[in-house]
Amino acid sequence: RPEGVVSAVCTAVGAKEVICQAEACYEEKAIEQAVQKACGRVGAALTLVWGGTLHHIDDLPKGAGVGEHRGAFTPWRTKVESKGQPVRPEHPAPRKGGLPAPEQWSAAVAAAAALAPPGSLVSATGLPTLEWLAHEGAE
């Protein structure tokens, strides 16, 4: 369960905040709530950032807000496009080296690897390998 993994990593690295993308569907919202409670139990805050549309969440027209597409994308897209709302300009790319990795990165990687099921093929970086993701081109 995500809440168990996230709280374990927070504890392992002493994280005070977890930042993730906000979701719109019922099941994902339930998971967000469980993760938020788990984070709170270990002294970390959960910050949700909207990234589900090209439009800023505040620029979505009435009737086309978060969760209002209810699984049918085309009617929702038609509402958004009919309003002619332009997409906000993008932020400039960060300069090379401008986003340093957290000091606790190695502890986070070790914690993530420790939580992986035996034989799950987690790479040295703590990220799942292509084999674990069942990528057909994996060697």
mmCIF file of all heavy atoms in Angstrom, residues 42-72:
data_model
loop_
_atom_site.group_PDB
_atom_site.id
_atom_site.type_symbol
_atom_site.label_atom_id
_atom_site.label_comp_id
_atom_site.label_asym_id
_atom_site.label_seq_id
_atom_site.Cartn_x
_atom_site.Cartn_y
_atom_site.Cartn_z
ATOM 1 N N VAL A 42 3.824 10.401 10.916
ATOM 2 C CA VAL A 42 5.290 10.417 11.027
ATOM 3 C C VAL A 42 5.846 11.846 10.956
ATOM 4 O O VAL A 42 7.044 12.046 10.792
ATOM 5 C CB VAL A 42 5.966 9.511 9.974
ATOM 6 C CG1 VAL A 42 5.573 8.058 10.189
ATOM 7 C CG2 VAL A 42 5.652 9.961 8.555
ATOM 8 N N GLY A 43 4.959 12.849 11.082
ATOM 9 C CA GLY A 43 5.393 14.240 11.140
ATOM 10 C C GLY A 43 5.738 14.875 9.810
ATOM 11 O O GLY A 43 6.515 15.834 9.755
ATOM 12 N N ALA A 44 5.182 14.363 8.734
ATOM 13 C CA ALA A 44 5.438 14.936 7.409
ATOM 14 C C ALA A 44 4.132 15.488 6.836
ATOM 15 O O ALA A 44 3.058 14.960 7.104
ATOM 16 C CB ALA A 44 6.013 13.889 6.462
ATOM 17 N N ALA A 45 4.252 16.548 6.066
ATOM 18 C CA ALA A 45 3.088 17.132 5.388
ATOM 19 C C ALA A 45 3.008 16.578 3.973
ATOM 20 O O ALA A 45 4.035 16.312 3.353
ATOM 21 C CB ALA A 45 3.223 18.651 5.348
ATOM 22 N N LEU A 46 1.792 16.420 3.469
ATOM 23 C CA LEU A 46 1.592 16.008 2.089
ATOM 24 C C LEU A 46 1.137 17.229 1.303
ATOM 25 O O LEU A 46 0.137 17.862 1.636
ATOM 26 C CB LEU A 46 0.540 14.907 1.979
ATOM 27 C CG LEU A 46 0.208 14.447 0.558
ATOM 28 C CD1 LEU A 46 1.426 13.801 -0.112
ATOM 29 C CD2 LEU A 46 -0.978 13.500 0.555
ATOM 30 N N THR A 47 1.893 17.587 0.264
ATOM 31 C CA THR A 47 1.546 18.708 -0.607
ATOM 32 C C THR A 47 1.171 18.150 -1.965
ATOM 33 O O THR A 47 1.958 17.447 -2.588
ATOM 34 C CB THR A 47 2.748 19.678 -0.748
ATOM 35 O OG1 THR A 47 3.092 20.163 0.551
ATOM 36 C CG2 THR A 47 2.399 20.842 -1.661
ATOM 37 N N LEU A 48 -0.046 18.459 -2.406
ATOM 38 C CA LEU A 48 -0.543 17.985 -3.696
ATOM 39 C C LEU A 48 -0.444 19.112 -4.716
ATOM 40 O O LEU A 48 -0.833 20.236 -4.444
ATOM 41 C CB LEU A 48 -1.996 17.521 -3.565
ATOM 42 C CG LEU A 48 -2.230 16.394 -2.561
ATOM 43 C CD1 LEU A 48 -3.717 16.161 -2.377
ATOM 44 C CD2 LEU A 48 -1.537 15.134 -3.017
ATOM 45 N N VAL A 49 0.068 18.779 -5.893
ATOM 46 C CA VAL A 49 0.246 19.746 -6.967
ATOM 47 C C VAL A 49 -0.561 19.262 -8.164
ATOM 48 O O VAL A 49 -0.425 18.111 -8.579
ATOM 49 C CB VAL A 49 1.734 19.876 -7.351
ATOM 50 C CG1 VAL A 49 1.933 20.857 -8.487
ATOM 51 C CG2 VAL A 49 2.564 20.271 -6.136
ATOM 52 N N TRP A 50 -1.397 20.145 -8.734
ATOM 53 C CA TRP A 50 -2.198 19.748 -9.878
ATOM 54 C C TRP A 50 -1.331 19.692 -11.121
ATOM 55 O O TRP A 50 -0.576 20.604 -11.407
ATOM 56 C CB TRP A 50 -3.365 20.712 -10.105
ATOM 57 C CG TRP A 50 -4.172 20.313 -11.295
ATOM 58 C CD1 TRP A 50 -4.239 20.958 -12.491
ATOM 59 C CD2 TRP A 50 -4.976 19.141 -11.416
ATOM 60 N NE1 TRP A 50 -5.046 20.257 -13.347
ATOM 61 C CE2 TRP A 50 -5.521 19.135 -12.721
ATOM 62 C CE3 TRP A 50 -5.302 18.095 -10.567
ATOM 63 C CZ2 TRP A 50 -6.366 18.130 -13.176
ATOM 64 C CZ3 TRP A 50 -6.131 17.105 -11.023
ATOM 65 C CH2 TRP A 50 -6.662 17.128 -12.312
ATOM 66 N N GLY A 51 -1.441 18.627 -11.887
ATOM 67 C CA GLY A 51 -0.699 18.480 -13.126
ATOM 68 C C GLY A 51 -1.472 17.656 -14.139
ATOM 69 O O GLY A 51 -0.907 17.161 -15.093
ATOM 70 N N GLY A 52 -2.777 17.514 -13.921
ATOM 71 C CA GLY A 52 -3.581 16.647 -14.767
ATOM 72 C C GLY A 52 -4.056 17.257 -16.069
ATOM 73 O O GLY A 52 -4.674 16.574 -16.873
ATOM 74 N N THR A 53 -3.810 18.541 -16.278
ATOM 75 C CA THR A 53 -4.212 19.191 -17.520
ATOM 76 C C THR A 53 -3.113 20.156 -17.947
ATOM 77 O O THR A 53 -2.299 20.573 -17.139
ATOM 78 C CB THR A 53 -5.518 20.002 -17.346
ATOM 79 O OG1 THR A 53 -5.308 20.998 -16.331
ATOM 80 C CG2 THR A 53 -6.682 19.127 -16.957
ATOM 81 N N LEU A 54 -3.120 20.526 -19.217
ATOM 82 C CA LEU A 54 -2.188 21.557 -19.670
ATOM 83 C C LEU A 54 -2.569 22.920 -19.099
ATOM 84 O O LEU A 54 -1.727 23.780 -18.915
ATOM 85 C CB LEU A 54 -2.164 21.627 -21.201
ATOM 86 C CG LEU A 54 -1.516 20.459 -21.910
ATOM 87 C CD1 LEU A 54 -1.669 20.629 -23.430
ATOM 88 C CD2 LEU A 54 -0.041 20.353 -21.550
ATOM 89 N N HIS A 55 -3.851 23.107 -18.830
ATOM 90 C CA HIS A 55 -4.315 24.363 -18.258
ATOM 91 C C HIS A 55 -4.074 24.381 -16.756
ATOM 92 O O HIS A 55 -4.185 23.349 -16.087
ATOM 93 C CB HIS A 55 -5.813 24.551 -18.508
ATOM 94 C CG HIS A 55 -6.150 24.891 -19.914
ATOM 95 N ND1 HIS A 55 -6.217 23.945 -20.906
ATOM 96 C CD2 HIS A 55 -6.425 26.080 -20.497
ATOM 97 C CE1 HIS A 55 -6.530 24.536 -22.049
ATOM 98 N NE2 HIS A 55 -6.658 25.826 -21.832
ATOM 99 N N HIS A 56 -3.772 25.559 -16.241
ATOM 100 C CA HIS A 56 -3.687 25.731 -14.789
ATOM 101 C C HIS A 56 -5.062 25.431 -14.208
ATOM 102 O O HIS A 56 -6.096 25.769 -14.818
ATOM 103 C CB HIS A 56 -3.261 27.174 -14.468
ATOM 104 C CG HIS A 56 -2.964 27.394 -13.032
ATOM 105 N ND1 HIS A 56 -3.957 27.574 -12.100
ATOM 106 C CD2 HIS A 56 -1.781 27.464 -12.377
ATOM 107 C CE1 HIS A 56 -3.404 27.755 -10.910
ATOM 108 N NE2 HIS A 56 -2.094 27.683 -11.049
ATOM 109 N N ILE A 57 -5.102 24.835 -13.055
ATOM 110 C CA ILE A 57 -6.377 24.431 -12.459
ATOM 111 C C ILE A 57 -7.326 25.622 -12.283
ATOM 112 O O ILE A 57 -8.530 25.497 -12.428
ATOM 113 C CB ILE A 57 -6.133 23.671 -11.134
ATOM 114 C CG1 ILE A 57 -7.419 23.006 -10.671
ATOM 115 C CG2 ILE A 57 -5.554 24.600 -10.084
ATOM 116 C CD1 ILE A 57 -7.221 22.035 -9.539
ATOM 117 N N ASP A 58 -6.770 26.807 -12.011
ATOM 118 C CA ASP A 58 -7.606 27.998 -11.825
ATOM 119 C C ASP A 58 -8.155 28.536 -13.146
ATOM 120 O O ASP A 58 -9.036 29.392 -13.145
ATOM 121 C CB ASP A 58 -6.815 29.102 -11.114
ATOM 122 C CG ASP A 58 -6.449 28.720 -9.690
ATOM 123 O OD1 ASP A 58 -7.117 27.842 -9.104
ATOM 124 O OD2 ASP A 58 -5.473 29.286 -9.159
ATOM 125 N N ASP A 59 -7.622 28.082 -14.272
ATOM 126 C CA ASP A 59 -8.067 28.553 -15.585
ATOM 127 C C ASP A 59 -9.101 27.648 -16.231
ATOM 128 O O ASP A 59 -9.595 27.953 -17.320
ATOM 129 C CB ASP A 59 -6.864 28.688 -16.540
ATOM 130 C CG ASP A 59 -5.873 29.740 -16.072
ATOM 131 O OD1 ASP A 59 -6.240 30.596 -15.240
ATOM 132 O OD2 ASP A 59 -4.725 29.702 -16.541
ATOM 133 N N LEU A 60 -9.445 26.541 -15.605
ATOM 134 C CA LEU A 60 -10.439 25.636 -16.181
ATOM 135 C C LEU A 60 -11.815 26.280 -16.106
ATOM 136 O O LEU A 60 -12.190 26.843 -15.079
ATOM 137 C CB LEU A 60 -10.441 24.294 -15.448
ATOM 138 C CG LEU A 60 -9.169 23.465 -15.596
ATOM 139 C CD1 LEU A 60 -9.235 22.239 -14.693
ATOM 140 C CD2 LEU A 60 -8.938 23.074 -17.035
ATOM 141 N N PRO A 61 -12.591 26.229 -17.186
ATOM 142 C CA PRO A 61 -13.912 26.866 -17.183
ATOM 143 C C PRO A 61 -14.906 26.115 -16.285
ATOM 144 O O PRO A 61 -14.715 24.937 -15.969
ATOM 145 C CB PRO A 61 -14.341 26.796 -18.647
ATOM 146 C CG PRO A 61 -13.534 25.724 -19.259
ATOM 147 C CD PRO A 61 -12.257 25.637 -18.478
ATOM 148 N N LYS A 62 -15.967 26.820 -15.921
ATOM 149 C CA LYS A 62 -17.024 26.214 -15.103
ATOM 150 C C LYS A 62 -17.567 24.977 -15.821
ATOM 151 O O LYS A 62 -17.788 24.990 -17.027
ATOM 152 C CB LYS A 62 -18.144 27.218 -14.876
ATOM 153 C CG LYS A 62 -19.209 26.706 -13.938
ATOM 154 C CD LYS A 62 -20.262 27.746 -13.666
ATOM 155 C CE LYS A 62 -21.260 27.153 -12.698
ATOM 156 N NZ LYS A 62 -22.327 28.052 -12.392
ATOM 157 N N GLY A 63 -17.722 23.902 -15.070
ATOM 158 C CA GLY A 63 -18.220 22.661 -15.652
ATOM 159 C C GLY A 63 -17.119 21.778 -16.212
ATOM 160 O O GLY A 63 -17.388 20.699 -16.723
ATOM 161 N N ALA A 64 -15.875 22.250 -16.131
ATOM 162 C CA ALA A 64 -14.750 21.448 -16.641
ATOM 163 C C ALA A 64 -13.636 21.394 -15.604
ATOM 164 O O ALA A 64 -12.465 21.309 -15.935
ATOM 165 C CB ALA A 64 -14.237 22.036 -17.949
ATOM 166 N N GLY A 65 -13.994 21.454 -14.339
ATOM 167 C CA GLY A 65 -13.006 21.435 -13.274
ATOM 168 C C GLY A 65 -12.469 20.044 -13.005
ATOM 169 O O GLY A 65 -12.782 19.078 -13.690
ATOM 170 N N VAL A 66 -11.674 19.971 -11.968
ATOM 171 C CA VAL A 66 -11.056 18.712 -11.574
ATOM 172 C C VAL A 66 -12.139 17.673 -11.272
ATOM 173 O O VAL A 66 -13.082 17.935 -10.559
ATOM 174 C CB VAL A 66 -10.174 18.928 -10.328
ATOM 175 C CG1 VAL A 66 -9.594 17.612 -9.841
ATOM 176 C CG2 VAL A 66 -9.081 19.926 -10.637
ATOM 177 N N GLY A 67 -11.999 16.518 -11.853
ATOM 178 C CA GLY A 67 -12.924 15.420 -11.593
ATOM 179 C C GLY A 67 -14.238 15.500 -12.359
ATOM 180 O O GLY A 67 -15.084 14.632 -12.217
ATOM 181 N N GLU A 68 -14.413 16.531 -13.180
ATOM 182 C CA GLU A 68 -15.683 16.675 -13.887
ATOM 183 C C GLU A 68 -15.711 15.963 -15.230
ATOM 184 O O GLU A 68 -16.721 15.993 -15.914
ATOM 185 C CB GLU A 68 -16.037 18.153 -14.038
ATOM 186 C CG GLU A 68 -16.309 18.794 -12.688
ATOM 187 C CD GLU A 68 -16.822 20.208 -12.796
ATOM 188 O OE1 GLU A 68 -17.753 20.433 -13.570
ATOM 189 O OE2 GLU A 68 -16.272 21.069 -12.100
ATOM 190 N N HIS A 69 -14.600 15.335 -15.617
ATOM 191 C CA HIS A 69 -14.651 14.595 -16.875
ATOM 192 C C HIS A 69 -15.195 13.202 -16.658
ATOM 193 O O HIS A 69 -15.647 12.566 -17.578
ATOM 194 C CB HIS A 69 -13.297 14.572 -17.586
ATOM 195 C CG HIS A 69 -12.163 14.076 -16.785
ATOM 196 N ND1 HIS A 69 -11.972 12.760 -16.498
ATOM 197 C CD2 HIS A 69 -11.144 14.738 -16.191
ATOM 198 C CE1 HIS A 69 -10.881 12.612 -15.774
ATOM 199 N NE2 HIS A 69 -10.364 13.797 -15.564
ATOM 200 N N ARG A 70 -15.209 12.714 -15.435
ATOM 201 C CA ARG A 70 -15.843 11.450 -15.048
ATOM 202 C C ARG A 70 -15.582 10.307 -16.030
ATOM 203 O O ARG A 70 -16.481 9.575 -16.406
ATOM 204 C CB ARG A 70 -17.341 11.642 -14.897
ATOM 205 C CG ARG A 70 -17.738 12.787 -14.010
ATOM 206 C CD ARG A 70 -18.476 12.318 -12.787
ATOM 207 N NE ARG A 70 -19.130 13.370 -12.057
ATOM 208 C CZ ARG A 70 -18.519 14.281 -11.317
ATOM 209 N NH1 ARG A 70 -17.230 14.307 -11.226
ATOM 210 N NH2 ARG A 70 -19.201 15.188 -10.643
ATOM 211 N N GLY A 71 -14.366 10.194 -16.471
ATOM 212 C CA GLY A 71 -13.994 9.075 -17.325
ATOM 213 C C GLY A 71 -14.266 9.284 -18.802
ATOM 214 O O GLY A 71 -13.821 8.504 -19.618
ATOM 215 N N ALA A 72 -15.015 10.319 -19.161
ATOM 216 C CA ALA A 72 -15.290 10.599 -20.569
ATOM 217 C C ALA A 72 -14.516 11.862 -20.948
ATOM 218 O O ALA A 72 -14.938 12.976 -20.663
ATOM 219 C CB ALA A 72 -16.783 10.791 -20.797
#
